[in-house]
Amino acid sequence: MGTADHCMWAGVTCSDDNLVTELNFQSNQLSGYFPPDLYDLSSLTVLNIAENSLVGSIPADLCYRSTTGTLFIRGDLANCPIATDPECCDVIDGLTNAPSSPPSVVHSET
């Protein structure tokens, strides 16, 4: 496999530099726990894991990125930590009729 093969996977969008920018796994029949290394995807701007069977809450480090505006998260009521971090998920399936598409995310160069 080449270095950009992951950019060809269904539901994965990459930048011109082959960095993962979006994971759209809605209705993908995913199950199990959230992978602990999603935070390592520093260019990730959209995470859509709604309508799956994932166990547990979205990790706090991803919630932090969501609440600071650098990551758009769409998840299920069962996975968005409403009690501890109500702002974690931008759209919560089963709770809101909010728009299903993420806003444009602008990165500033520092």
Side-chain angles (χ1 to χ4, degrees):
M1 288 189 145
T3 58
D5 288 346
H6 60 277
C7 295
M8 302 301 292
W9 298 346
V12 176
T13 302
C14 292
S15 68
D16 291 339
D17 299 329
N18 297 321
L19 299 173
V20 176
T21 58
E22 297 183 19
L23 295 176
N24 184 5
F25 295 145
Q26 182 173 349
S27 302
N28 240 26
Q29 299 179 347
L30 300 177
S31 61
Y33 292 93
F34 286 91
D37 51 0
L38 280 179
Y39 188 78
D40 294 337
L41 299 174
S42 60
S43 296
L44 189 66
T45 59
V46 175
L47 175 61
N48 185 350
I49 42 92
E51 300 175 23
N52 285 291
S53 299
L54 294 170
V55 177
S57 293
I58 295 170
D61 51 7
L62 290 176
C63 288
Y64 174 77
R65 286 180 49 195
S66 176
T67 59
T68 60
T70 60
L71 176 62
F72 176 92
I73 298 177
R74 180 177 182 175
D76 293 325
L77 185 58
N79 304 117
C80 294
I82 297 171
T84 58
D85 193 349
E87 303 297 318
C88 179
C89 293
D90 297 284
V91 176
I92 303 172
D93 283 22
L95 182 66
T96 181
N97 291 325
S100 60
S101 60
S104 296
V105 177
V106 177
H107 292 282
S108 61
E109 297 294 324
T110 56

